[in-house]
């Protein structure tokens, strides 16, 4: 089985975006009533995925995708908690409907209703609601401000209520920021990769996994700069009197959303195979094909196939690591005889 651990509902029906636009307009006029969530038919959902994620997943040889709301649309920089709650709930409910229509091909990962500096009570509640509905993980934004980094580091006690729930529910989080409100940081080319790199450095500086030994994070986009600068992080750890970064790898994992062969080669040389989860992020940040090779940028299976791996190692990357990091996914697949 080939499990893609990183997919977003980027092709959501237009009615959902109209609901979001109405939400934001209502914030400008406090006297206006809260908008009603969009009424979206099953046929509209089928149309939105059958010619897009589902078709491409099948064409590229994939079997199942972990599916979450569109990352750039989470928009955690919007400060109103009620708006964040409603937006996360409706976005997650749409993902759940995709999974209900195509249970063999999708499993759900939830958006959390975060706000800059806001309480995490709503995030914990939505995580519990989502897991009760069959979700297998969550996306956690380390920077709800959208590029201004006003929140405490991921090792701070601020985040502990959410971590306690994650451990109790046995679900991992993918570290994933949303839109950038800072013109210095292009969302896809800088903000995402900055966050991936920053999260790992925060883990290196703290003792989070001593307190939460069962907590698990997936750092997407190949880990940002981490694999490329592994020697820097080893040297910094020694300089700061911190444990070697390899000690984090019981809790931290990386995906394969790296869009060229040399990058995947480096990832697999530096990061242990048991810490690499196959992913494409399609349809996501980079669309189209490499003009030099004709290979779609996000057809990461081609790059993983190009690695010099044993069959067992290939099985780890394509399936076994995801089932280990996402135990609720593993339980669901076993219950279905897969």
């Amino acid at each position: 089985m080939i499990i893609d651990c990183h997919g977003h509902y980027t092709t959501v029906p237009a009615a959902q975006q109209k609901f979001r636009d109405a939400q934001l307009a209502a914030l400008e006029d406090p006297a206006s009533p809260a908008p009603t969530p969009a009424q979206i038919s099953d046929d509209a959902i089928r149309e939105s995925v059958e010619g897009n994620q589902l078709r491409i997943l099948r064409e590229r040889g994939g079997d199942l995708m972990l599916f979450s709301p569109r990352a750039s649309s989470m928009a955690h920089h919007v400060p109103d908690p009620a708006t964040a709650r409603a937006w996360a709930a409706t976005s997650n409910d749409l993902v759940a409907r995709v999974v209900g229509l195509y249970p063999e091909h999708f499993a759900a990962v939830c958006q959390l209703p975060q706000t800059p500096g806001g309480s995490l009570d709503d995030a914990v509640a939505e995580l519990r609601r989502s897991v009760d509905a069959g979700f297998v993980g969550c996306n956690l934004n380390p920077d709800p401000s959208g590029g201004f980094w006003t929140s405490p580091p991921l090792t701070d006690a601020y985040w502990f209520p959410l971590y306690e729930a994650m451990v109790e529910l046995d679900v991992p989080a993918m570290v994933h920021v949303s839109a950038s409100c800072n013109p210095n940081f292009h969302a896809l080319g800088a903000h995402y990769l900055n966050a991936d790199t920053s999260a790992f450095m925060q883990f290196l500086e703290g003792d989070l996994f001593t307190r939460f030994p069962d907590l698990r994070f997936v750092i997407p986009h190949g880990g940002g700069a981490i694999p490329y600068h592994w020697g820097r992080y080893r040297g910094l750890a020694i300089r700061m009197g911190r444990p070697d970064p390899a000690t984090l790898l019981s809790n931290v994992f990386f995906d394969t959303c790296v869009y060229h062969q040399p990058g995947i080669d480096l990832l697999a040389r530096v990061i242990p195979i048991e810490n690499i989860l196959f992913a494409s992020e399609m349809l996501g940040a980079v669309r189209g094909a490499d003009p030099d090779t004709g290979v779609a940028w996000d057809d990461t299976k081609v790059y993983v196939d190009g690695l010099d791996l044993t069959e067992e190692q290939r099985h780890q990357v394509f399936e076994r690591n995801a089932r280990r990091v996402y135990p609720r996914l593993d339980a669901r697949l076993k219950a279905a005889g897969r």
Side-chain angles (χ1 to χ4, degrees):
M1 179 183 295
I2 296 178
I3 299 171
D4 185 333
C5 80
H6 188 174
H8 297 296
Y9 198 178
T10 52
T11 57
V12 68
Q16 179 70 353
Q17 185 58 50
K18 289 182 180 178
F19 167 64
R20 180 57 170 175
D21 293 343
Q23 273 195 317
L24 298 179
L27 291 176
E28 299 298 320
D29 180 10
S32 65
T36 302
Q39 299 298 307
I40 298 173
S41 68
D42 285 352
D43 284 344
I45 292 175
R46 291 188 183 97
E47 182 179 358
S48 72
V49 297
E50 286 188 358
N52 295 298
Q53 292 90 345
L54 184 58
R55 174 183 61 82
I56 296 171
L57 182 71
R58 289 167 167 165
E59 289 177 354
R60 294 178 181 175
D63 296 293
L64 183 142
M65 173 180 281
L66 298 189
F67 208 48
S68 66
R70 182 183 177 191
S72 61
S73 293
M74 295 189 296
H76 293 128
H77 62 276
V78 177
D80 182 62
T83 299
R85 287 194 301 270
W87 181 234
T90 57
S91 298
N92 291 334
D93 289 348
L94 271 182
V95 167
R97 290 179 63 190
V98 172
V99 174
L101 291 170
Y102 305 100
E104 292 187 0
H105 298 293
F106 294 100
V109 170
C110 69
Q111 170 181 330
L112 299 175
Q114 297 176 244
T115 54
S119 167
L120 290 175
D121 290 349
D122 290 340
V124 171
E126 182 61 19
L127 177 64
R128 292 187 180 279
R129 186 186 80 93
S130 297
V131 170
D132 285 345
F135 285 59
V136 301
C138 65
N139 288 339
L140 174 60
N141 188 346
D143 174 36
S145 71
F148 294 99
W149 291 91
T150 58
S151 293
L154 289 172
T155 51
D156 190 87
Y158 167 78
W159 302 97
F160 287 2
L162 180 61
Y163 297 161
E164 289 165 357
M166 287 170 56
V167 170
E168 176 192 340
L169 297 169
D170 202 14
V171 294
M174 177 171 281
V175 175
H176 210 306
V177 290
S178 186
S180 173
C181 302
N182 187 331
N184 291 290
F185 303 126
H186 184 276
L188 306 178
H191 186 42
Y192 282 18
L193 305 182
N194 292 348
D196 304 334
T197 306
S198 297
F200 188 86
M201 188 63 201
Q202 291 172 11
F203 296 148
L204 184 64
E205 290 181 277
D207 296 303
L208 181 64
F209 303 121
T210 300
R211 182 182 180 97
F212 295 102
D214 297 322
L215 195 61
R216 299 182 304 282
F217 291 97
V218 178
I219 298 183
H221 318 116
I226 300 304
Y228 189 72
H229 287 288
W230 192 254
R232 173 180 288 259
Y233 294 102
R234 292 190 67 211
L236 286 171
I238 292 171
R239 179 178 176 181
M240 296 185 298
R242 303 295 305 159
D244 189 280
T247 61
L248 299 174
L249 298 182
S250 295
N251 306 86
V252 179
F253 304 85
F254 300 80
D255 78 9
T256 63
C257 291
V258 180
Y259 296 153
H260 65 151
Q261 190 67 52
I264 288 289
D265 293 345
L266 176 71
L267 177 69
R269 287 179 61 189
V270 175
I271 302 300
I273 291 298
E274 56 266 28
N275 285 80
I276 300 175
L277 280 65
F278 175 70
S280 68
E281 202 182 6
M282 66 94 170
L283 298 162
V286 185
R287 305 189 189 188
D290 185 336
D292 294 335
T293 65
V295 175
W297 297 109
D298 59 6
D299 189 358
T300 51
K301 183 177 181 295
V302 172
Y303 312 134
V304 175
D305 286 342
L307 293 173
D308 183 16
L309 300 177
T310 67
E311 285 306 307
E312 171 57 25
Q313 289 173 325
R314 205 171 298 281
H315 176 58
Q316 285 181 281
V317 173
F318 280 136
E319 178 181 358
R320 193 146 60 89
N321 293 342
R323 295 178 76 135
R324 177 165 51 90
V325 175
Y326 292 84
R328 287 181 175 269
L329 171 65
D330 183 51
R332 181 188 138 182
L333 292 173
K334 287 178 177 175
R338 302 173 73 185

